Amino acid sequence: MRSLRRLCTILTTAIVVLAATAIPSAAAAAGPPPVYPGVGPGTHLLDHAAKLAGLTDPAWYEANIPFVDLPDRTIEDTYYYRWRTYREALKYTGPDDGWIVSEFLGPVGYSAPGGGIDAAAGHHLYEGRWLRDHRYLDDYVDYWLRGSGAGPKPATDGLNENTTDWAHEYSFWAADAVLARAAVDGRWSFAVDRIPDLRRQWAAWSPQFDPGLGLYWQVPVWDAMEYTASSYQSPDPYHGGAGFRPTLNAYQYGDALAIASLLRRRGAPGDRALADRYERDARSLQANQDRLLWDSGDRFYKHVMRDGNPARAKIADREEMGFVPWYFHMAPAGAAAAWAQLTDPAGFAAPFGPTTVERRSPWFMHDAERGCCRWSGPSWPYATSQTLTALANLLTDYPPQPYVSAQDYYTLLRGYALTQRKNGVPYVAEAHHPDEDRWLYDSPGHSEDYNHSTFDDLVLSGLLGIRPQQGDQVRLAPLVPSTWDHFAVENVPYHGRNLTVAWDRDGHVYRQGAGLSVWLDGKLVHRQAGLTAVDVPVRPGRAADAARVVDDLANPGRTGYPAASASYTWPGDSPANAVDGQDFALDVPSTRWTSYGSPNRGDWLAVDLGAATDVSDVRISFYDDGGGVRTPDAYALQYRTADGSWADLPGQAREPGTPEKGRPNRVVVQPAVRTDGLRVLPSRVDGGAVGITAVQAWRAEDERLEARLQDDPARLRPGQTAEIGGWVRAAQAMTVRPALTLPRGWTARPLGPDGDLRLVPGRPVPLRWRVTAPPDAPVGTQAPVRLLVATLDHGTPVRSTADVARAEVVFDPADFGTPVWDDDFTGARPDAYRIGARFGEPVPELSQADGALVVSASRQSAAVLVAPVAAPAGDFAVILEPRAFAGGAPEDSVLLGRAAGPDDLALAWYNHHFGTSGADVRAGGRDYGDDVTGGCCAAVTWSPGDRFAVVSDHRGGLTSWLEHQDRWQLLRTIPAGPVVAAGWSPAIGLRLTTGRISLERLTVVAATTPPAPALSQRK
């Protein structure tokens, strides 16, 4: 749980705080910072309240977005709607990674930790670069470059077997997007500081570079484009044959030039030569793409199959991705004829287009109605965004050409806006029929407000022509229709200034004079009669400051702490939804807790933090569906005290004073209270149902502090002790008060130093303490350990900076001293087990040879083997020692845990082919998802002699473990809980495609000593 992004992760002296304690605060000025950054000086041409009518939390939009006024209501309505979808997609993942921008509102199984998917990350950065609050994209960039998004990924078929980190699961134009963002906000130091990370990101595509051709190859599905025209012409229509494509090559071209630009800006020794090298690489890609991917006859960039294609023949079909080179200014001016296809009725033109493959292709709309996702004709917002960005570049930055015009840009953008409708209101899903007003791919609970494209960036940088520059100016080159009499874009956060541009042909609309007018920070700086392109000087200002804050209640992973619970929950909702890092009020998918249907007069929602934190800024968003669930008339906000009881938080200041829907209800607590639990008790006078979409506890941190907990995780056995160490460092002299907080029942003893610390600038102070786990701590427990460092002002705490690590209760067979079952596979026959088929596949052949259970198959086979012993009443462990695996694919797997048969099981699995581990949970013939299995997948490396274990506790939860060189490592926590029946016995499972798996020993041992089941033991 380490943050490479934050300045602060902290290690400091050890004061164990298990109880809630009021901490004196400094003056009110030292209280929590504003929720949103200030807008600063600007213009007031537009009625912002009218533009935001119907949107929840209008203060967020007022603080963040540029406001537009357009004669085309369809485009304008879509513009504000798409800012709504972007806000919904902002997901707070916790203190380590902070904010990310999600693609789906609900989680999907192929996302990176926290829910990120890099396929559309370039779109997310281009769209979000216009927001005033820089914290969202600062965190998101670092998520992909330094955080969990840059971490290791299993190289599996379902997660891209060609790459081993999440930031390369899909094609991604990272450096170009970082540069494009800096060209808007002007915060070049942030971008320059990421040069080493961007270089690593660029270089990590090298395994997919063919040095003989000088081009990169990619598999279409990992371009986010399965079932394409090129895919259908390969042996694998879903993935598509690997090929040299104008996507990844253009992305790498754009990224190389962006890195070169940042290197020249940094100007360190050697940077000029390094920039030259990246520019040479970019030019080489450009030349090779024009040589190999440009079809001079069809005048278009095309896919070239990598395999079985020695002549490097291009496919016959034009695909929309052929416009991508213009997105990065990679295509030469002489290639502009390709754009004739955009408006050609036999090409890509469509009422709700453009199409993803030309209409003249025999693959156009092939199987498109059979279900998602087939990019062989449907109108796809992802690709439409790229095409419109590329078209704006062609029209603005290239020499004039006869194929497309500004009117074509407007027509395509308006058609794109009309596409984003459902039931007459703005809506975006996955893909739209090109000729009919309906979404083709639109799954309930999955596709709503699909954030896989841009629109607002297309309005701002394309239609309205705000062309960001790296120098101290902005280029204005609108692509609006010549018939427009007016438009305005107000208070664009640009280079630390507020930029407003208004076109008013005769001056009667905005009453600020006729023509094109430009303001900076509310002051008129330029005026001209017409809409010809112009460069306007912009002296850099200072971007709006925003404090570093952490939501201590966020738990998007829904496992461990913080843990939400409630007195009652409607079956379709969950308490965990209120702390999942998201805040939106959609019915499908939902992210809410409600008490709908409760028999109680009043209900509560509580959050257990596991270890205490300082609470000073609580925000609650109430859910109101206008029917059975309504905004409460009142609410109480309580904290858990030292003795475990609940009491009202003292010192509350509420804004608003009474509960309101559609905005965060903020409770500022002065002085701050240190507690390990919060509880909200909303109530209605009529006793009706209430709901909450988000409850958050934001804590402002001191950006001058850097601190870190080490030994993460600290490994302890029940009742035993381990040392945890760390350090704290400050950028300037200051006095701090550190405290270590632990779960109730855990103890710690400081090993020094202790008390208040006077920090010398730049000099870390080492810290260490001894932590003891309670004797009854379940194996697999991952307890939070929070280090809080209070910055002192004349002895008074004014701000708390924190780091969170884990203390892990580890498995050791020595703690499980009661034998239950021991089979070294030299005795009775395998059919002593209850054997059942699994997945509708045949049972593999089972035999014994050379002291091993041998499992053989010549086709896909699977079985569950239930041991002929009852499960112990308390905690027990199932230990399996494999001897050898089959070496087949895709299944070469063992499973272990507990089961009653193939339809009632909770088994952790290890797939040797992919080197991954997860869990299957099935009860009564129903398969359970991530909330019960713990999600997928852990990367695992097994070596001969290693053992696997599953520990089952008396509550039904399971944890899976791997022993390597006498050290047990936790693989997964499987919160099967009430799904597991007490009668399920110890069991193993096997699944293989071909070959032989050999198992050397199966052992079951219990941690309890009461009367145990009769021991069946074979030696």
Side-chain angles (χ1 to χ4, degrees):
M1 300 176 70
R2 184 63 58 241
S3 171
L4 299 177
R5 173 190 50 75
R6 301 181 302 146
L7 258 183
C8 161
T9 354
I10 102 192
L11 203 307
T12 285
T13 108
I15 303 173
V16 179
V17 180
L18 301 177
T21 309
I23 299 178
S25 173
V35 175
Y36 305 126
V39 174
T43 57
H44 304 278
L45 306 181
L46 308 179
D47 184 345
H48 293 192
K51 301 290 185 184
L52 300 178
L55 294 175
T56 61
D57 194 13
W60 183 88
Y61 300 90
E62 185 67 50
N64 275 292
I65 72 168
F67 283 76
V68 301
D69 182 61
L70 308 176
D72 190 315
R73 188 60 183 267
T74 299
I75 294 178
E76 179 177 311
D77 287 351
T78 308
Y79 175 87
Y80 289 104
Y81 161 72
R82 287 300 300 267
W83 279 127
R84 192 199 92 187
T85 66
Y86 198 90
R87 179 180 178 274
E88 291 168 354
L90 294 172
K91 182 176 183 179
Y92 185 78
T93 65
D96 289 343
D97 289 318
W99 291 97
I100 68 166
V101 185
S102 61
E103 178 179 325
F104 298 96
L105 297 181
V108 293
Y110 52 88
S111 62
I117 303 172
D118 69 326
H123 284 326
H124 297 159
L125 293 173
Y126 264 78
E127 191 90 332
R129 63 182 176 157
W130 303 99
L131 295 176
R132 184 167 284 104
D133 194 335
H134 59 76
R135 292 173 293 191
Y136 302 122
L137 292 195
D138 282 1
D139 287 355
Y140 190 50
V141 166
D142 283 348
Y143 171 83
W144 290 119
L145 297 181
R146 300 176 174 181
S148 298
K153 170 189 71 64
T156 66
D157 175 69
L159 298 173
N160 191 348
E161 59 190 358
N162 302 309
T163 63
T164 56
D165 69 89
W166 292 107
H168 293 83
E169 182 181 14
Y170 292 91
S171 304
F172 175 22
W173 54 104
D176 170 83
V178 168
L179 184 75
R181 188 250 181 146
V184 172
D185 71 13
R187 297 167 60 245
W188 291 102
S189 59
F190 179 90
V192 166
D193 185 62
R194 273 69 185 167
I195 289 175
D197 311 291
L198 294 169
R199 293 183 63 200
R200 283 193 296 271
Q201 172 75 11
W202 191 86
W205 286 110
S206 59
Q208 292 177 223
F209 183 73
D210 185 321
L213 297 183
L215 288 175
Y216 293 87
W217 58 266
Q218 181 59 293
V219 178
V221 70
W222 304 121
D223 258 348
M225 302 178 195
E226 58 268 35
Y227 292 115
T228 63
S230 50
S231 301
Y232 282 121
Q233 298 170 65
S234 78
D236 184 354
Y238 169 69
H239 295 87
F244 303 98
R245 299 163 59 79
T247 48
L248 183 57
N249 287 289
Y251 302 166
Q252 286 291 88
Y253 169 87
D255 280 4
L257 290 184
I259 292 169
S261 179
L262 292 173
L263 285 165
R264 295 191 187 283
R265 179 173 288 272
R266 185 173 69 179
D271 278 356
R272 178 180 296 179
L274 198 54
D276 289 344
R277 195 195 82 189
Y278 278 98
E279 288 171 352
R280 285 195 301 272
D281 287 342
R283 287 195 297 271
S284 176
L285 278 173
Q286 183 181 44
N288 292 327
Q289 176 154 286
D290 286 338
R291 178 172 58 90
L292 293 165
L293 304 189
W294 175 255
D295 187 325
S296 58
D298 281 349
R299 299 194 291 184
F300 212 76
Y301 290 102
K302 293 183 175 180
H303 175 103
V304 173
M305 296 290 187
R306 184 193 68 181
D307 303 326
N309 185 23
R312 302 304 178 197
K314 306 164 187 67
I315 67 168
D317 316 85
R318 298 180 182 92
E319 297 179 274
E320 189 181 0
M321 66 174 178
F323 293 121
V324 166
W326 282 269
Y327 188 109
F328 302 94
H329 300 87
M330 185 186 194
W339 288 92
Q341 300 300 321
L342 187 67
T343 57
D344 188 337
F348 299 94
F352 300 97
T355 63
T356 40
V357 69
E358 60 181 334
R359 289 180 181 273
R360 60 177 67 88
S361 168
W363 302 106
F364 175 71
M365 297 298 284
H366 178 73
D367 287 343
E369 299 275 6
R370 293 184 60 183
C372 192
C373 299
R374 301 168 195 275
W375 309 126
S376 56
S379 174
W380 186 28
Y382 181 103
T384 301
S385 301
Q386 290 184 324
T387 300
L388 277 161
T389 300
L391 178 56
N393 289 344
L394 174 74
L395 295 170
T396 305
D397 304 329
Y398 280 75
Q401 39 69 42
Y403 305 104
V404 282
S405 65
Q407 183 62 38
D408 292 317
Y409 183 90
Y410 168 71
T411 300
L412 186 62
L413 181 68
R414 190 171 198 280
Y416 182 29
L418 287 168
T419 299
Q420 298 177 72
R421 292 292 185 276
K422 184 177 180 179
N423 299 325
V425 297
Y427 182 86
V428 61
E430 297 184 68
H432 199 280
H433 198 288
D435 298 315
E436 302 173 12
D437 189 8
R438 62 185 175 95
W439 289 96
L440 275 176
Y441 309 141
D442 182 16
S443 303
H446 180 74
S447 304
E448 294 87 357
D449 294 353
Y450 185 47
N451 189 38
H452 200 244
S453 59
T454 61
F455 183 83
D456 296 330
D457 180 68
L458 302 172
V459 172
L460 295 169
S461 69
L463 181 68
L464 302 184
I466 302 175
R467 309 293 290 178
Q469 303 294 305
Q470 296 186 39
D472 295 344
Q473 70 270 344
V474 62
R475 183 164 181 78
L476 302 177
L479 298 175
V480 301
S482 60
T483 56
W484 275 18
D485 288 327
H486 72 278
F487 70 80
V489 54
E490 183 164 62
N491 295 336
V492 180
Y494 182 82
H495 289 205
R497 310 289 295 276
N498 278 328
L499 169 71
T500 295
V501 180
W503 163 245
D504 193 343
R505 191 183 301 274
D506 59 15
H508 81 280
V509 177
Y510 304 116
R511 302 189 181 281
Q512 300 295 318
L516 183 74
S517 303
V518 182
W519 292 263
L520 287 173
D521 293 341
K523 297 180 179 179
L524 184 67
V525 296
H526 177 79
R527 178 169 284 153
Q528 63 184 49
L531 285 174
T532 54
V534 62
D535 291 321
V536 177
V538 178
R539 181 173 52 84
R542 181 177 178 180
D545 290 329
R548 187 180 70 210
V549 292
V550 172
D551 176 15
D552 288 321
L553 301 189
N555 183 4
R558 299 168 175 263
T559 60
Y561 295 97
S565 61
S567 55
Y568 173 87
T569 302
W570 170 249
D573 300 320
S574 170
N577 289 344
V579 293
D580 65 358
Q582 295 179 287
D583 183 10
F584 56 82
L586 297 181
D587 289 331
V588 179
S590 68
T591 173
R592 67 186 181 223
W593 162 81
T594 73
S595 65
Y596 186 74
S598 173
N600 308 321
R601 179 68 183 176
D603 285 288
W604 50 259
L605 174 73
V607 184
D608 182 353
L609 287 102
T613 191
D614 291 339
V615 175
S616 60
D617 186 358
V618 179
R619 302 172 200 171
I620 308 164
S621 296
F622 294 109
Y623 177 73
D624 189 327
D625 63 8
V629 181
R630 305 305 297 267
T631 305
D633 298 304
Y635 67 95
L637 181 59
Q638 299 181 330
Y639 73 107
R640 190 158 54 192
T641 65
D643 63 7
S645 62
W646 295 95
D648 288 345
L649 271 169
Q652 298 184 33
R654 299 187 175 191
E655 176 58 37
T658 57
E660 289 185 15
K661 68 176 182 179
R663 62 175 294 185
N665 289 257
R666 191 183 194 195
V667 183
V668 173
V669 178
Q670 293 290 350
V673 168
R674 187 162 292 176
T675 182
D676 63 1
L678 288 175
R679 189 167 73 165
V680 185
L681 298 89
S683 59
R684 287 168 52 183
V685 172
D686 61 5
V690 294
I692 291 175
T693 60
V695 57
Q696 306 159 334
W698 293 96
R699 175 176 44 79
E701 297 196 319
D702 193 325
E703 309 222 10
R704 301 168 299 172
L705 275 178
E706 182 182 5
R708 180 159 297 158
L709 281 170
Q710 297 168 332
D711 306 298
D712 183 16
R715 296 165 54 85
L716 302 86
R717 290 166 58 188
Q720 299 198 3
T721 296
E723 288 188 9
I724 297 179
W727 48 264
V728 60
R729 179 171 58 200
Q732 65 187 65
M734 64 174 62
T735 302
V736 298
R737 181 175 299 160
L740 185 71
T741 70
L742 302 168
R744 294 173 183 252
W746 293 62
T747 60
R749 180 169 62 87
L751 300 179
D754 197 4
D756 293 352
L757 299 177
R758 182 64 180 172
L759 301 181
V760 176
R763 182 182 301 172
V765 175
L767 302 156
R768 202 149 194 87
W769 54 92
R770 193 179 300 277
V771 174
T772 303
D776 60 350
V779 169
T781 296
Q782 294 184 318
V785 177
R786 179 176 280 109
L787 184 64
L788 288 166
V789 180
T791 306
L792 303 184
D793 182 8
H794 296 91
T796 300
V798 294
R799 188 155 287 188
S800 293
T801 303
D803 186 33
V804 179
R806 291 172 297 158
E808 186 175 280
V809 181
V810 298
F811 169 63
D812 190 325
D815 298 326
F816 291 73
T818 304
V820 176
W821 177 259
D822 187 16
D823 190 353
D824 62 2
F825 303 116
T826 60
R829 295 157 51 94
D831 56 14
Y833 293 81
R834 284 180 286 147
I835 302 173
R838 179 82 170 102
F839 298 112
E841 299 167 359
V843 173
E845 181 183 344
L846 304 174
S847 62
Q848 290 171 267
D850 301 323
L853 174 63
V854 179
V855 186
S856 307
S858 58
R859 58 176 176 149
Q860 188 97 339
S861 305
V864 175
L865 284 67
V866 181
V869 292
D875 299 352
F876 67 93
V878 182
I879 305 172
L880 180 67
E881 184 173 344
R883 179 182 290 180
F885 283 88
E891 286 295 335
D892 188 12
S893 305
V894 295
L895 305 90
L896 67 160
R898 57 191 303 180
D903 283 326
D904 295 286
L905 54 83
L907 300 174
W909 54 260
Y910 165 70
N911 184 309
H912 186 66
H913 171 70
F914 291 119
T916 56
S917 179
D920 291 339
V921 177
R922 183 175 175 85
R926 173 192 171 190
D927 291 311
Y928 286 82
D930 290 352
D931 287 351
V932 174
T933 66
C936 181
C937 299
V940 178
T941 301
W942 176 87
S943 302
D946 292 354
R947 297 189 292 172
F948 290 101
V950 166
V951 177
S952 176
D953 64 42
H954 58 279
R955 300 165 300 180
L958 292 88
T959 51
S960 59
W961 303 80
L962 172 70
E963 182 195 39
H964 179 68
Q965 297 181 347
D966 299 320
R967 179 185 173 96
W968 287 95
Q969 170 194 349
L970 178 65
L971 300 180
R972 306 296 293 180
T973 297
I974 307 162
V979 173
V980 177
W984 291 6
S985 296
I988 59 173
L990 302 127
R991 194 179 189 200
L992 68 164
T993 303
T994 185
R996 293 162 37 125
I997 295 175
S998 298
L999 305 180
E1000 195 147 284
R1001 195 179 201 102
L1002 173 66
T1003 306
V1004 182
V1005 288
T1008 54
T1009 53
L1015 173 64
S1016 298
Q1017 188 174 38
R1018 286 184 262 160
K1019 293 291 186 183

